[in-house]
Amino acid sequence: MEFLFILLALVVVCGVVVAPALRRRRAAQDALRGAGAAVDPSYGHGFVPAERLDVRLPGPDPDLLAAVEEARRTQDWKPAAELLARTPADGAAELRWQRVQTLAGAAARELAETPGTGGMWLRHWRVVAPKDAGGAAVQAEFLVQQAMRDPSSQDYRMILEEARTVCAEAALLAPGDPVPYIVRLNVERGLGASEAEFQSVWETVTSRAPGHMGAHLVALRYWSAKWHGSQEQADAFARRAAAAAPAGSLLPALPLFAVHDHLPDVNMVRGLYHSVVVRDAIEAAQYAVVHAPADHPVLPHVRHLLVWFLVNAGRYAEALEQLRAVDGHIGAIPWTYEEDPVAVYAAYRARAVAGY
């Protein structure tokens, strides 16, 4: 009889404790399978698999990627030179700035992968066509990126001084082109130029391209607390630019970049992403995205940062709207600040889909 009571007790325990636990475990597994299915491109969202995400660009530019791939494959610089030659240097020159950045980044990555021989096409370009304005601009940006890879290097200042010289060459070769002066802004930031010295270069930029979003993003870094300014100075710079922005400009999104640059490393505030400051910056960026030209070269940069903020704010439907517009290319802030941009972007994408 005692044995029967023990057996009955075991049955009750299994029914009350074990069975629900097993059900919860199965439910969790089903949820994980559902989340996995949701982020799989084959399940209707059309997202690019993580292994095919492109970290070189924030958005599509087939002509630029073709030139980059040709340079890498054959070390032929001519397609890149021809591309920049037909990319306007007047007006806003947003596309030219982005293409110069990407070409320089491609050469820098090749050199990092194969020290001594990588990116040889850029050196050939400068030797064979020293009067080519595009080649000079790319070399100047390449030197800046090389220096910024290791600010503690004993060659840091020497490389930036060389970049400053090449910027001057590029400016002489292409009068009116703001890009050499935009590159120069990063040189001055790296060399610790005084506010007056930096402002002098900035005024040259704005005289050529007053509404250049890329230039404003570069200048914002100088005023950041991480470099030579403060959170108050960066916020003020961003707000002034946003307030003076013409119709169709992306400058109203600049305060969102200022907010991102000054977020705490460890967030201890539960409602940070629902605060008035963050909410207003998100809404201003969303306004800019809606009213900017659909083919604006810097538009993907704004969309990527919006994804980051919207996911952290739990606004998953809005984040998905931005993801659908930019998925496939992830060469933008905030992902480029990460050691593994692909993994971080994919995690945020998964959070957006699962939350939605």
Side-chain angles (χ1 to χ4, degrees):
M1 181 64 70
E2 184 179 351
F3 173 75
L4 290 175
F5 278 119
I6 293 172
L7 184 60
L8 181 60
L10 287 173
V11 170
V12 171
V13 169
C14 287
V16 173
V17 179
V18 178
L22 289 173
R23 282 197 295 271
R24 287 195 298 271
R25 181 179 178 185
R26 281 196 296 270
Q29 291 172 338
D30 290 343
L32 287 172
R33 281 195 292 271
V39 297
D40 189 320
S42 65
Y43 281 81
H45 287 276
F47 289 145
V48 173
E51 63 272 14
R52 284 171 41 203
L53 291 170
D54 195 327
V55 300
R56 295 172 294 180
L57 279 174
D61 187 342
D63 292 340
L64 176 57
L65 290 181
V68 167
E69 288 164 6
E70 182 69 14
R72 184 180 183 88
R73 185 175 62 85
T74 67
Q75 294 300 301
D76 185 1
W77 53 270
K78 294 183 185 66
E82 291 166 2
L83 178 65
L84 283 185
R86 62 177 188 268
T87 304
D90 56 351
E94 299 272 14
L95 183 60
R96 187 175 179 84
W97 170 73
Q98 187 151 282
R99 285 176 167 175
V100 165
Q101 276 200 311
T102 301
L103 288 166
R109 278 192 298 274
E110 288 182 36
L111 184 59
E113 292 168 5
T114 315
T117 58
M120 190 65 72
W121 55 270
L122 177 54
R123 279 172 272 182
H124 291 164
W125 186 355
R126 292 293 288 137
V127 169
V128 176
K131 301 298 183 183
D132 186 288
V138 172
Q139 186 193 14
E141 174 64 23
F142 166 81
L143 290 168
V144 170
Q145 293 189 25
Q146 283 295 101
M148 295 298 184
R149 290 172 81 92
D150 185 9
S152 64
S153 168
Q154 62 180 2
D155 297 328
Y156 175 76
R157 293 192 64 85
M158 182 181 70
I159 296 171
L160 286 178
E161 291 286 0
E162 183 182 354
R164 179 188 274 167
T165 300
V166 180
C167 282
E169 288 180 36
L172 288 173
L173 292 169
D177 183 2
V179 172
Y181 295 97
I182 297 172
V183 178
R184 174 82 178 273
L185 291 174
N186 270 330
V187 172
E188 300 306 327
R189 171 170 63 91
L191 289 173
S194 69
E195 291 186 12
E197 291 169 328
F198 187 85
Q199 189 66 28
S200 175
V201 181
W202 176 242
E203 288 171 3
T204 303
V205 172
T206 54
S207 69
R208 286 163 168 73
H212 198 292
M213 180 64 175
H216 280 79
L217 289 174
V218 172
L220 182 64
R221 299 300 307 282
Y222 177 88
W223 299 112
S224 164
K226 296 175 182 176
W227 285 91
H228 309 296
S230 65
Q231 182 172 352
E232 291 73 23
Q233 288 176 294
D235 288 342
F237 174 79
R239 286 196 301 269
R240 283 196 304 270
S249 170
L250 281 176
L251 288 175
L254 198 61
L256 190 66
F257 287 86
V259 169
H260 180 264
D261 212 29
H262 293 91
L263 287 173
D265 291 333
V266 179
N267 176 25
M268 302 298 290
V269 181
R270 185 175 182 182
L272 175 64
Y273 297 102
H274 298 279
S275 66
V276 173
V277 171
V278 173
R279 187 179 67 243
D280 288 351
I282 288 174
E283 290 175 0
Q286 288 175 317
Y287 173 89
V289 165
V290 169
H291 291 88
D295 60 349
H296 195 299
V298 188
L299 182 56
H301 286 275
V302 180
R303 290 189 184 278
H304 278 290
L305 193 60
L306 272 172
V307 168
W308 192 88
F309 273 100
L310 290 168
V311 169
N312 282 318
R315 296 163 64 172
Y316 302 118
E318 294 165 88
L320 278 177
E321 180 183 353
Q322 302 303 327
L323 280 164
R324 292 188 183 104
V326 296
D327 190 65
H329 300 274
I330 61 170
I333 297 169
W335 324 121
T336 51
Y337 285 170
E338 303 289 344
E339 288 186 14
D340 190 342
V342 171
V344 175
Y345 172 83
Y348 269 77
R349 186 174 66 180
R351 283 176 63 190
V353 174
Y356 177 74

